[in-house]
Amino acid sequence: MSGALDRLDSGIYPPLFRELRTLAGNYWWSWQPDGPELFRDISPSRWEEAGHNPRRLLDTTPLSRLTELDVDPRFRARARDLLARFAADLAARSSWAEGLAPRLTPERPVAYFSAEFAIHESLPIYAGGLGVLAGDHLKSASDLGVPLIAVGLLYRQGYFRQDLDRSSWQNERYVDIDVAALPIQRVVGTDGAPLSVTISIAHRRVHVSIWRVQVGRVPLYLLDTNRDDNEERDRWITGHLYGGNQDTRLVQELTLGIGGVRALRALGVQPAVFHMNEGHSAFLTLELLREQLTAGMPLEGAQAHVRAQCVFTTHTPITAGHDVFGVELVDTFLADYWADLEISRETLLNFGRRRPGDAWEPFGMTPLAMRFARSTNGVSRKHGEVCRAMWRDLWKRRKPDAVPIGHVTNGIHVPTWTAPAARALLAEHLGPAWESRLDDPELPARIDAIPDEQLWELRNRLRRHLVAAVRAHAHATRARKGEDEHFVAAADALLDPGVLTVGFARRMATYKRLSLIVHDPARMVRFISDPERPLQFVLAGKAHPFDNEAKRTLQELARVRQPVEQLGRIVYLENYDVALARWLVQGCDVWLNLPRRPLEASGTSGQKVIANGGLNISVLDGWWIEGYAGDNGWPVGDHLDGNPKTQDDADAEALYAVLEREVVPLFYERDARGIPVGWLTRMRASMRSMLPFFNTHRMLRQYTEQIYLRGPDGGSR
Ligand SMILES: *Cc1c(COP(=O)(O)O)cnc(C)c1O
């Protein structure tokens, strides 16, 4: 690192690379055409070693190489083009975004709070779909020019890296984030000194540092307690994402909610709206309440004032996904707080209860958020319905239909998830900047006009890229573990670039049912080893560190894989992250989603395959209920019974049947040109019907117009 600064100071860093180093300080590059590719081409091997962090790449590449590129006209032209687009994009205006004023302005933005953000693989402060959604939300806010700032936590060791041992048991490995090498800046005050805030936890003063990561036009502020002036145990508050016990979780959430509001005040920001992305940040409502009470406002008025500013998105119908804390924990950690608030302990505890006054009920973050939010929404139409039934207690047990919880269906940030080759093809046929015009009424006709040869060539190319990436990943993993050299070399023959490729990757939560794939191992093996029309599987996903059942499923999967291992047609990739996810959603022909209904609130990974020409096979749950239209993918299981065991049997049978009778024949049925025309018809239907809706530009416009800009709903709690 000091080497890099020496280079900058001594003036020997070629000027073009000074500019690229500045560009590398904003994650904007990561979703631009030729952004990642430009940096990668500086030195492909160092790009991998640098974990796709361009700062580190530039700092570790020998000056001789930079000087060589500095006089390469092709490289210079590419770099100049990217730098020009950066400047233009940060300054871009749109009439839609300007029309948000005066309700939303850079001085009065939306403050978006989340415990995780997936911006890029080099910043491992996310675990799964919740973080991906938050990251994609910020990128669309930047693209559309919505005044929005974000608040999260800077975890010292992020989320864990996954290692499977010889028996395929998952072990977790924790690695320190290299703050010095990442584009993360310490926020300083007007006096130039680092800005920090203090919160009180169990009678201790905890100091919180504030960092800033730039995501295009959107600043993401990250809080961190790893400071010399904190006690050792408090330095670990922001140690790990979802790694600790209940105590850790509670103090993390206090840091995010209370520390987050204080950090914004220290920065001089007065948000117009506080958006709680999941209940983890709901303590922010208490801090907003404290501000009003300290200023002398009576409790009722203060509550109304807080409600007018807060909105809440809930993300799961699974009980364990809603944090609750025992009363004794709240007593321990919030003791100073209710004294500050000058409200009684009972009043505070009741804020977190479905049934105020029920002394047996613990303190829940979801009731707290709902009680203080003027708007609560679920993340798909079905999930909205499930939430209304689930939380009606909070509205004095109204009929579910009368519970004021709506929905905004999740989307994905199309530029982030679409392969360069697919972006280029779609730009050719849909026009430049097609990603920001997905609602163009011309889109369907233009998709239909893409010639068969080009569409099919795209699929073949993306499948080949995936196969190459899988081989490289498996080779590197096996070599790192010191496996036997034949086994390492065998990685280079995994998968077949001509075979129908099916992907399944997500957190290994039990309800997501990876296990269905191997429900009938013999039948799966028959599919995989069919001499004429084979199938191959690429699988990935981490189990939560404490979820032994999910870890056992991974072991069981390994046992099923063994007999067909030499065919190399079922591959499990370790250490699922957003980089792996990109390869998978871009390269797979078919994407599987097999949740136990109705537990998938939305799911988003299936949406990522659409622009890449992948097709979905999914249980009709979450987003797929809205996405499936008869001809644009396949549903699994129309039969619903209350018994998980027989439900699994029925859904596995339905999955095998759809693969055998529809998916495999359609893929292998070729015309005289060798093209599967029926498959391409389905691909076009998938893009045409779903691209316009399942994206975060649409999602963010909806949040902005229907929630951020709307007044209080008036429903009483
Ligand atoms: C998209 C994504 C997810 C979410 O997948 P679901 O199918 O919605 O569960 C999780 N993890 C990573 C790394 C992703 O990219």
Side-chain angles (χ1 to χ4, degrees):
M1 191 56 201
S2 69
L5 294 177
D6 292 350
R7 284 177 178 190
L8 283 169
D9 290 343
S10 62
I12 50 172
Y13 221 68
L16 180 66
F17 286 91
R18 286 173 177 253
E19 286 181 66
L20 288 178
R21 203 168 182 287
T22 306
L23 179 73
N26 184 329
Y27 275 109
W28 176 90
W29 63 267
S30 67
W31 71 90
Q32 304 310 318
D34 208 33
E37 295 77 17
L38 182 85
F39 286 119
R40 181 202 60 205
D41 290 350
I42 291 173
S43 170
S45 60
R46 285 196 184 80
W47 178 242
E48 292 308 319
E49 282 158 24
H52 301 177
N53 169 9
R55 276 255 158 121
R56 171 173 279 201
L57 167 85
L58 291 171
D59 296 347
T60 54
T61 303
L63 269 176
S64 57
R65 172 66 181 152
L66 300 187
T67 321
E68 179 191 341
L69 287 168
D70 193 41
V71 294
D72 173 346
R74 241 184 67 75
F75 183 84
R76 284 195 74 87
R78 286 171 65 192
R80 283 269 146 249
D81 177 51
L82 188 64
L83 289 163
R85 281 189 278 137
F86 181 49
D89 228 41
L90 294 200
R93 309 202 167 281
S94 84
S95 52
W96 179 77
E98 305 213 319
L100 305 178
R103 304 276 310 269
L104 290 179
T105 62
E107 294 70 41
R108 287 183 56 70
V110 175
Y112 182 89
F113 279 64
S114 181
E116 44 170 315
F117 287 94
I119 308 295
H120 186 254
E121 56 268 27
S122 59
L123 190 60
I125 56 169
Y126 64 92
L130 181 69
V132 171
L133 183 82
D136 285 6
H137 195 102
L138 305 195
K139 291 172 186 175
S140 277
S142 174
D143 291 343
L144 296 174
V146 175
L148 186 140
I149 61 176
V151 181
L153 298 177
L154 181 61
Y155 303 96
R156 178 170 168 182
Q157 300 193 323
Y159 200 52
F160 71 92
R161 317 235 178 142
Q162 179 197 42
D163 273 325
L164 297 194
D165 68 14
R166 288 269 149 88
S167 69
S168 285
W169 185 253
Q170 171 182 299
N171 293 308
E172 294 86 32
R173 191 157 49 92
Y174 288 95
V175 182
D176 275 359
I177 285 185
D178 187 354
V179 173
L182 282 165
I184 305 179
Q185 270 121 36
R186 197 181 267 284
V187 174
V188 294
T190 40
D191 58 356
L195 216 54
S196 65
V197 294
T198 304
I199 55 176
S200 146
I201 286 175
H203 305 300
R204 300 194 302 277
R205 312 284 291 162
V206 176
H207 304 283
V208 184
S209 302
I210 310 169
W211 303 83
R212 177 180 172 132
V213 170
Q214 201 60 37
V215 184
R217 297 192 257 190
V218 171
L220 164 58
Y221 295 104
L222 297 174
L223 311 177
D224 160 33
T225 62
N226 182 20
R227 298 163 52 103
D228 293 342
D229 53 2
N230 283 334
E231 279 182 33
E232 185 59 22
R233 60 181 157 172
D234 293 329
R235 296 182 64 163
W236 282 99
I237 291 174
T238 52
H240 305 108
L241 170 59
Y242 306 148
N245 54 18
Q246 284 296 95
D247 294 29
T248 316
R249 217 152 158 134
L250 178 58
V251 294
Q252 281 189 339
E253 295 181 5
L254 286 168
T255 306
L256 177 61
I258 294 170
V261 172
R262 291 187 183 172
L264 293 180
R265 301 307 187 211
L267 287 157
V269 181
Q270 299 298 334
V273 178
F274 289 84
H275 186 172
M276 296 173 271
N277 185 47
E278 196 45 289
H280 308 122
S281 57
F283 284 130
L284 73 81
T285 60
L286 295 185
E287 178 62 6
L288 295 176
L289 191 69
R290 192 193 60 81
E291 289 179 342
Q292 296 309 315
L293 294 174
T294 327
M297 199 184 268
L299 183 59
E300 291 250 313
Q303 274 182 270
H305 188 87
V306 175
R307 282 192 39 150
Q309 302 172 69
C310 293
V311 303
F312 173 52
T313 303
T314 175
H315 285 268
T316 181
I318 293 174
T319 315
H322 296 267
D323 279 329
V324 289
F325 299 109
V327 170
E328 65 299 341
L329 280 189
V330 180
D331 277 343
T332 307
F333 291 103
L334 273 94
D336 288 349
Y337 209 70
W338 73 70
D340 267 10
L341 284 166
E342 294 182 17
I343 58 175
S344 72
R345 174 175 173 274
E346 274 315 300
T347 306
L348 183 113
L349 287 171
N350 283 338
F351 287 155
R353 285 178 174 143
R354 287 166 180 260
R355 292 169 303 278
D358 177 352
W360 296 103
E361 190 181 338
F363 186 91
M365 298 302 277
T366 303
L368 176 66
M370 287 184 180
R371 194 160 267 125
F372 280 102
R374 67 168 153 86
S375 158
T376 292
N377 71 282
V379 290
S380 70
R381 180 168 14 103
K382 174 72 185 177
H383 180 228
E385 199 181 291
V386 171
C387 287
R388 288 190 285 278
M390 189 168 169
W391 297 102
R392 52 191 287 235
D393 279 5
L394 273 166
W395 281 269
K396 309 190 174 79
R397 300 193 58 77
R398 284 187 199 176
K399 290 230 165 55
D401 283 353
V403 171
I405 299 180
H407 75 274
V408 176
T409 302
N410 283 346
I412 54 111
H413 184 247
V414 173
T416 294
W417 296 105
T418 309
R423 290 178 86 175
L425 181 69
L426 292 172
E428 182 188 334
H429 293 277
L430 309 182
W434 62 275
E435 291 106 329
S436 54
R437 294 185 292 103
L438 292 167
D439 51 356
D440 183 351
E442 301 276 304
L443 184 120
R446 295 193 177 175
I447 285 171
D448 282 340
I450 304 175
D452 286 352
E453 288 82 358
Q454 288 188 13
L455 258 192
W456 186 231
E457 173 47 28
L458 174 71
R459 285 305 322 144
N460 287 328
R461 191 158 154 193
L462 295 183
R463 199 182 316 101
R464 280 198 304 274
H465 285 180
L466 171 66
V467 170
V470 165
R471 290 175 180 173
H473 183 279
H475 189 117
T477 307
R478 291 175 184 186
R480 184 168 53 74
K481 290 194 197 167
E483 300 278 9
D484 153 297
E485 67 184 89
H486 295 291
F487 188 59
V488 176
D492 303 333
L494 288 173
L495 302 182
D496 179 333
V499 166
L500 171 57
T501 306
V502 183
F504 180 104
R506 48 184 55 81
R507 287 182 304 112
M508 287 293 145
T510 305
Y511 80 90
K512 293 188 182 255
R513 293 192 302 182
L514 166 73
S515 54
L516 278 202
I517 295 178
V518 290
H519 198 77
D520 181 349
R523 198 152 162 206
M524 256 321 161
V525 169
R526 269 206 314 281
F527 286 146
I528 289 170
S529 46
D530 186 297
E532 250 113 68
R533 303 186 308 179
L535 263 184
Q536 60 191 6
F537 283 91
V538 192
L539 315 168
K542 296 172 176 176
H544 186 279
F546 306 146
D547 187 351
N548 286 336
E549 184 183 348
K551 291 186 183 184
R552 276 192 296 274
T553 304
L554 287 177
Q555 281 190 314
E556 196 184 318
L557 176 70
R559 264 193 298 280
V560 177
R561 275 198 335 256
Q562 245 155 26
V564 285
E565 193 90 70
Q566 78 286 0
L567 280 171
R569 288 201 188 128
I570 177 159
V571 181
Y572 176 83
L573 295 168
E574 284 173 45
N575 207 29
Y576 187 47
D577 69 355
V578 286
L580 252 182
R582 276 199 310 275
W583 283 110
L584 293 176
V585 299
Q586 294 171 3
C588 287
D589 299 294
V590 167
W591 195 255
L592 284 184
N593 180 35
L594 305 166
R596 185 169 288 146
R597 282 168 289 175
L599 299 182
E600 189 62 277
S602 167
T604 52
S605 61
Q607 302 174 2
K608 299 169 188 165
V609 309
I610 298 167
N612 293 298
L615 293 174
N616 280 280
I617 302 182
S618 172
V619 166
L620 278 170
D621 196 16
W623 78 278
W624 190 234
I625 296 175
E626 291 159 72
Y628 177 61
D631 62 348
N632 58 352
W634 292 274
V636 169
D638 47 10
H639 155 93
L640 193 56
D641 68 33
N643 177 338
K645 171 76 184 67
T646 47
Q647 183 75 61
D648 286 1
D649 292 344
D651 287 348
E653 175 53 39
L655 167 67
Y656 296 152
V658 79
L659 283 172
E660 192 162 31
R661 293 189 204 130
E662 300 194 39
V663 181
V664 171
L666 198 65
F667 183 86
Y668 286 106
E669 189 179 304
R670 307 293 164 92
D671 69 4
R673 300 166 298 173
I675 293 179
V677 181
W679 191 268
L680 295 187
T681 302
R682 214 161 260 257
M683 255 171 77
R684 288 196 186 89
S686 162
M687 292 180 165
R688 213 170 47 214
S689 61
M690 297 192 286
L691 264 183
F693 189 77
F694 296 101
N695 64 78
T696 40
H697 282 25
R698 181 275 309 159
M699 180 188 90
L700 189 65
R701 283 200 192 95
Q702 223 179 320
Y703 271 108
T704 304
E705 288 165 357
Q706 298 173 9
I707 294 180
Y708 297 157
L709 291 181
R710 246 196 38 199
D713 65 19
S716 70
R717 312 286 190 284

